[in-house]
Amino acid sequence: MFFTIPTIMTWTRIVAIPLIVGVFSAPLEPATRNLIATVMFIAFAITDWLDGYLARKLNQTSAFGAFLDPVADKFLVCASLLVLVHLNRAGVFVALIIIGREIAISALREWMAQIGASKSVAVHMIGKLKTTVQMIAIPFLLYDGVLFGVIDTGVWGTWLLWAAAILTVWSMVYYLRKALPEIRARVVKQ
């Protein structure tokens, strides 16, 4: 199941990272770089929804695909945040909140899987909402211009990224609270 259509789509999100980063090194006008990076990010972000849909529709779900999908999402988001920090379009603090949460929750999920309690930290709606807000904020900040003559994507992207950071903390607290009974049970047994 390494090379099914859904898994290949997931791999494209990982391949997208150097492409998006590379756009900002290309000898292009800044507005052109912004537009290309934005379109690329949106196209690759759409594969996040599409690969899951196709995996279910084509009956090509796999443990490997279930592992790779969130990893690809985290790589794409974290790399894009680092680019935005480098371009001074996102603050270091907000990026650290989001990236730190991704690392912490990934580690928590791995540990919970090892002790057979992965269902207690299964993806919840708050986590999906956090991801959605991030996936809207990042292209706004990559574009960094005015859409339709009225939408300042830098301002909207900044507000949305902070909203994503708040949802990030909220979802982390949610997952930690769900895991706490298992953690306490393991500590008591030792």
Side-chain angles (χ1 to χ4, degrees):
M1 287 293 193
F2 287 115
F3 295 107
T4 62
I5 292 170
T7 306
I8 290 169
M9 293 179 77
T10 303
W11 279 111
T12 64
R13 289 201 300 285
I14 295 171
V15 171
I17 295 165
L19 297 176
I20 291 172
V21 172
V23 165
F24 289 101
S25 300
L28 301 167
E29 293 292 320
T32 303
R33 286 194 299 248
N34 292 347
L35 179 60
I36 292 170
T38 302
V39 170
M40 287 173 58
F41 183 89
I42 291 169
F44 290 119
I46 288 171
T47 67
D48 180 28
W49 171 81
L50 193 56
D51 64 3
Y53 171 78
L54 287 175
R56 289 182 296 277
K57 185 85 170 164
L58 301 173
N59 197 27
Q60 294 181 345
T61 59
S62 68
F64 180 73
F67 155 77
L68 189 62
D69 184 63
V71 170
D73 296 344
K74 287 167 184 29
F75 278 161
L76 182 61
V77 167
C78 292
S80 298
L81 286 173
L82 292 174
V83 166
L84 292 169
V85 167
H86 176 73
L87 295 170
N88 294 316
R89 297 181 191 174
V92 171
F93 187 65
V94 72
L96 283 173
I97 291 171
I98 293 170
I99 294 171
R101 180 266 187 206
E102 298 302 345
I103 293 168
I105 296 303
S106 293
L108 177 67
R109 284 194 172 123
E110 181 179 337
W111 184 62
M112 297 301 280
Q114 286 178 355
I115 64 172
S118 58
K119 287 186 179 181
S120 64
V121 288
V123 176
H124 185 266
M125 195 62 196
I126 187 73
K128 290 181 180 185
L129 180 60
K130 177 256 329 164
T131 300
T132 301
V133 174
Q134 283 175 351
M135 295 298 197
I136 296 169
I138 290 170
F140 271 33
L141 291 168
L142 287 171
Y143 186 75
D144 194 41
V146 178
L147 278 177
F148 314 116
V150 291
I151 301 171
D152 184 334
T153 63
V155 171
W156 278 93
T158 299
W159 281 104
L160 286 168
L161 195 61
W162 275 104
I166 291 166
L167 290 167
T168 292
V169 171
W170 185 6
S171 68
M172 185 171 74
V173 169
Y174 173 83
Y175 291 126
L176 288 171
R177 288 182 64 198
K178 295 295 273 183
L180 197 55
E182 291 293 335
I183 293 169
R184 283 187 181 143
R186 300 292 173 197
V187 170
V188 169
K189 287 181 183 177
Q190 295 175 355

mmCIF file of all heavy atoms in Angstrom, residues 74 77-79 81-82 85 92-105 134 168:
data_model
loop_
_atom_site.group_PDB
_atom_site.id
_atom_site.type_symbol
_atom_site.label_atom_id
_atom_site.label_comp_id
_atom_site.label_asym_id
_atom_site.label_seq_id
_atom_site.Cartn_x
_atom_site.Cartn_y
_atom_site.Cartn_z
ATOM 1 N N LYS A 74 1.849 17.842 8.864
ATOM 2 C CA LYS A 74 2.698 18.554 9.830
ATOM 3 C C LYS A 74 3.949 19.099 9.168
ATOM 4 O O LYS A 74 4.364 20.231 9.428
ATOM 5 C CB LYS A 74 3.043 17.639 11.002
ATOM 6 C CG LYS A 74 1.856 17.420 11.921
ATOM 7 C CD LYS A 74 2.087 16.300 12.895
ATOM 8 C CE LYS A 74 0.904 15.971 13.768
ATOM 9 N NZ LYS A 74 -0.409 16.203 13.274
ATOM 10 N N VAL A 77 2.836 22.172 7.005
ATOM 11 C CA VAL A 77 2.491 23.325 7.847
ATOM 12 C C VAL A 77 3.731 23.905 8.513
ATOM 13 O O VAL A 77 3.966 25.120 8.475
ATOM 14 C CB VAL A 77 1.421 22.945 8.895
ATOM 15 C CG1 VAL A 77 1.289 24.015 9.972
ATOM 16 C CG2 VAL A 77 0.075 22.720 8.215
ATOM 17 N N CYS A 78 4.546 23.053 9.112
ATOM 18 C CA CYS A 78 5.734 23.536 9.832
ATOM 19 C C CYS A 78 6.730 24.210 8.879
ATOM 20 O O CYS A 78 7.272 25.275 9.197
ATOM 21 C CB CYS A 78 6.400 22.412 10.610
ATOM 22 S SG CYS A 78 5.388 21.818 11.989
ATOM 23 N N ALA A 79 6.963 23.605 7.718
ATOM 24 C CA ALA A 79 7.883 24.215 6.753
ATOM 25 C C ALA A 79 7.347 25.560 6.269
ATOM 26 O O ALA A 79 8.101 26.538 6.161
ATOM 27 C CB ALA A 79 8.103 23.273 5.565
ATOM 28 N N LEU A 81 5.331 27.564 7.905
ATOM 29 C CA LEU A 81 5.464 28.525 9.010
ATOM 30 C C LEU A 81 6.896 29.048 9.114
ATOM 31 O O LEU A 81 7.103 30.241 9.336
ATOM 32 C CB LEU A 81 5.042 27.891 10.330
ATOM 33 C CG LEU A 81 3.548 27.701 10.532
ATOM 34 C CD1 LEU A 81 3.279 26.900 11.804
ATOM 35 C CD2 LEU A 81 2.828 29.043 10.585
ATOM 36 N N LEU A 82 7.868 28.170 8.933
ATOM 37 C CA LEU A 82 9.268 28.612 8.978
ATOM 38 C C LEU A 82 9.578 29.592 7.849
ATOM 39 O O LEU A 82 10.289 30.577 8.054
ATOM 40 C CB LEU A 82 10.210 27.407 8.938
ATOM 41 C CG LEU A 82 10.170 26.515 10.179
ATOM 42 C CD1 LEU A 82 11.020 25.275 9.979
ATOM 43 C CD2 LEU A 82 10.600 27.279 11.427
ATOM 44 N N VAL A 85 8.024 32.884 8.886
ATOM 45 C CA VAL A 85 8.838 33.557 9.904
ATOM 46 C C VAL A 85 10.051 34.201 9.233
ATOM 47 O O VAL A 85 10.382 35.357 9.507
ATOM 48 C CB VAL A 85 9.272 32.565 11.015
ATOM 49 C CG1 VAL A 85 10.360 33.162 11.899
ATOM 50 C CG2 VAL A 85 8.062 32.166 11.852
ATOM 51 N N VAL A 92 7.651 34.612 15.452
ATOM 52 C CA VAL A 92 8.320 33.413 15.963
ATOM 53 C C VAL A 92 7.459 32.761 17.051
ATOM 54 O O VAL A 92 7.322 31.534 17.087
ATOM 55 C CB VAL A 92 9.723 33.762 16.509
ATOM 56 C CG1 VAL A 92 10.345 32.581 17.237
ATOM 57 C CG2 VAL A 92 10.618 34.239 15.385
ATOM 58 N N PHE A 93 6.861 33.564 17.914
ATOM 59 C CA PHE A 93 6.089 33.027 19.038
ATOM 60 C C PHE A 93 4.899 32.194 18.560
ATOM 61 O O PHE A 93 4.681 31.076 19.040
ATOM 62 C CB PHE A 93 5.634 34.168 19.945
ATOM 63 C CG PHE A 93 4.972 33.702 21.209
ATOM 64 C CD1 PHE A 93 5.682 32.999 22.169
ATOM 65 C CD2 PHE A 93 3.630 33.962 21.432
ATOM 66 C CE1 PHE A 93 5.070 32.557 23.327
ATOM 67 C CE2 PHE A 93 3.010 33.527 22.592
ATOM 68 C CZ PHE A 93 3.725 32.821 23.542
ATOM 69 N N VAL A 94 4.148 32.712 17.604
ATOM 70 C CA VAL A 94 2.978 31.976 17.111
ATOM 71 C C VAL A 94 3.433 30.703 16.397
ATOM 72 O O VAL A 94 2.803 29.648 16.523
ATOM 73 C CB VAL A 94 2.067 32.865 16.227
ATOM 74 C CG1 VAL A 94 2.673 33.163 14.881
ATOM 75 C CG2 VAL A 94 0.692 32.230 16.052
ATOM 76 N N ALA A 95 4.540 30.773 15.671
ATOM 77 C CA ALA A 95 5.060 29.580 14.998
ATOM 78 C C ALA A 95 5.507 28.536 16.020
ATOM 79 O O ALA A 95 5.253 27.341 15.840
ATOM 80 C CB ALA A 95 6.217 29.957 14.074
ATOM 81 N N LEU A 96 6.156 28.987 17.089
ATOM 82 C CA LEU A 96 6.592 28.054 18.132
ATOM 83 C C LEU A 96 5.409 27.379 18.815
ATOM 84 O O LEU A 96 5.474 26.189 19.153
ATOM 85 C CB LEU A 96 7.452 28.772 19.173
ATOM 86 C CG LEU A 96 8.889 29.067 18.756
ATOM 87 C CD1 LEU A 96 9.580 29.921 19.804
ATOM 88 C CD2 LEU A 96 9.655 27.790 18.501
ATOM 89 N N ILE A 97 4.343 28.119 19.038
ATOM 90 C CA ILE A 97 3.138 27.531 19.646
ATOM 91 C C ILE A 97 2.627 26.394 18.763
ATOM 92 O O ILE A 97 2.375 25.272 19.227
ATOM 93 C CB ILE A 97 2.031 28.589 19.846
ATOM 94 C CG1 ILE A 97 2.422 29.586 20.938
ATOM 95 C CG2 ILE A 97 0.687 27.918 20.175
ATOM 96 C CD1 ILE A 97 1.493 30.780 21.035
ATOM 97 N N ILE A 98 2.490 26.677 17.477
ATOM 98 C CA ILE A 98 1.914 25.695 16.559
ATOM 99 C C ILE A 98 2.855 24.507 16.364
ATOM 100 O O ILE A 98 2.444 23.348 16.466
ATOM 101 C CB ILE A 98 1.547 26.365 15.219
ATOM 102 C CG1 ILE A 98 0.384 27.355 15.443
ATOM 103 C CG2 ILE A 98 1.174 25.316 14.168
ATOM 104 C CD1 ILE A 98 0.084 28.256 14.270
ATOM 105 N N ILE A 99 4.127 24.771 16.099
ATOM 106 C CA ILE A 99 5.085 23.689 15.874
ATOM 107 C C ILE A 99 5.301 22.877 17.148
ATOM 108 O O ILE A 99 5.347 21.645 17.119
ATOM 109 C CB ILE A 99 6.409 24.243 15.312
ATOM 110 C CG1 ILE A 99 6.177 24.822 13.908
ATOM 111 C CG2 ILE A 99 7.491 23.164 15.287
ATOM 112 C CD1 ILE A 99 7.355 25.598 13.339
ATOM 113 N N GLY A 100 5.399 23.564 18.289
ATOM 114 C CA GLY A 100 5.575 22.870 19.562
ATOM 115 C C GLY A 100 4.421 21.941 19.866
ATOM 116 O O GLY A 100 4.613 20.809 20.329
ATOM 117 N N ARG A 101 3.216 22.381 19.592
ATOM 118 C CA ARG A 101 2.035 21.541 19.818
ATOM 119 C C ARG A 101 2.084 20.316 18.925
ATOM 120 O O ARG A 101 1.777 19.204 19.364
ATOM 121 C CB ARG A 101 0.772 22.358 19.555
ATOM 122 C CG ARG A 101 -0.522 21.577 19.749
ATOM 123 C CD ARG A 101 -1.002 20.993 18.445
ATOM 124 N NE ARG A 101 -2.325 20.383 18.582
ATOM 125 C CZ ARG A 101 -2.758 19.428 17.810
ATOM 126 N NH1 ARG A 101 -2.007 18.920 16.865
ATOM 127 N NH2 ARG A 101 -3.971 18.939 17.961
ATOM 128 N N GLU A 102 2.467 20.512 17.667
ATOM 129 C CA GLU A 102 2.523 19.379 16.737
ATOM 130 C C GLU A 102 3.494 18.316 17.241
ATOM 131 O O GLU A 102 3.200 17.124 17.199
ATOM 132 C CB GLU A 102 2.902 19.837 15.324
ATOM 133 C CG GLU A 102 1.919 20.792 14.673
ATOM 134 C CD GLU A 102 0.495 20.259 14.542
ATOM 135 O OE1 GLU A 102 0.267 19.038 14.692
ATOM 136 O OE2 GLU A 102 -0.406 21.063 14.290
ATOM 137 N N ILE A 103 4.644 18.753 17.734
ATOM 138 C CA ILE A 103 5.634 17.814 18.260
ATOM 139 C C ILE A 103 5.087 17.120 19.518
ATOM 140 O O ILE A 103 5.176 15.894 19.646
ATOM 141 C CB ILE A 103 6.968 18.532 18.556
ATOM 142 C CG1 ILE A 103 7.604 19.016 17.246
ATOM 143 C CG2 ILE A 103 7.920 17.622 19.322
ATOM 144 C CD1 ILE A 103 8.756 19.985 17.432
ATOM 145 N N ALA A 104 4.525 17.903 20.421
ATOM 146 C CA ALA A 104 4.028 17.346 21.687
ATOM 147 C C ALA A 104 2.902 16.343 21.461
ATOM 148 O O ALA A 104 2.908 15.245 22.039
ATOM 149 C CB ALA A 104 3.557 18.475 22.609
ATOM 150 N N ILE A 105 1.947 16.679 20.623
ATOM 151 C CA ILE A 105 0.812 15.783 20.403
ATOM 152 C C ILE A 105 1.237 14.551 19.602
ATOM 153 O O ILE A 105 0.748 13.441 19.852
ATOM 154 C CB ILE A 105 -0.374 16.521 19.745
ATOM 155 C CG1 ILE A 105 -0.899 17.609 20.688
ATOM 156 C CG2 ILE A 105 -1.487 15.559 19.350
ATOM 157 C CD1 ILE A 105 -1.333 17.119 22.064
ATOM 158 N N GLN A 134 -5.504 26.844 10.050
ATOM 159 C CA GLN A 134 -4.107 26.953 9.613
ATOM 160 C C GLN A 134 -4.018 26.937 8.096
ATOM 161 O O GLN A 134 -3.260 27.717 7.507
ATOM 162 C CB GLN A 134 -3.281 25.762 10.126
ATOM 163 C CG GLN A 134 -2.906 25.820 11.561
ATOM 164 C CD GLN A 134 -2.189 24.539 11.983
ATOM 165 O OE1 GLN A 134 -2.116 23.559 11.255
ATOM 166 N NE2 GLN A 134 -1.665 24.548 13.194
ATOM 167 N N THR A 168 -4.903 25.650 18.574
ATOM 168 C CA THR A 168 -3.805 24.714 18.789
ATOM 169 C C THR A 168 -3.646 24.403 20.268
ATOM 170 O O THR A 168 -3.553 23.239 20.668
ATOM 171 C CB THR A 168 -2.497 25.311 18.215
ATOM 172 O OG1 THR A 168 -2.610 25.361 16.796
ATOM 173 C CG2 THR A 168 -1.285 24.511 18.593
#
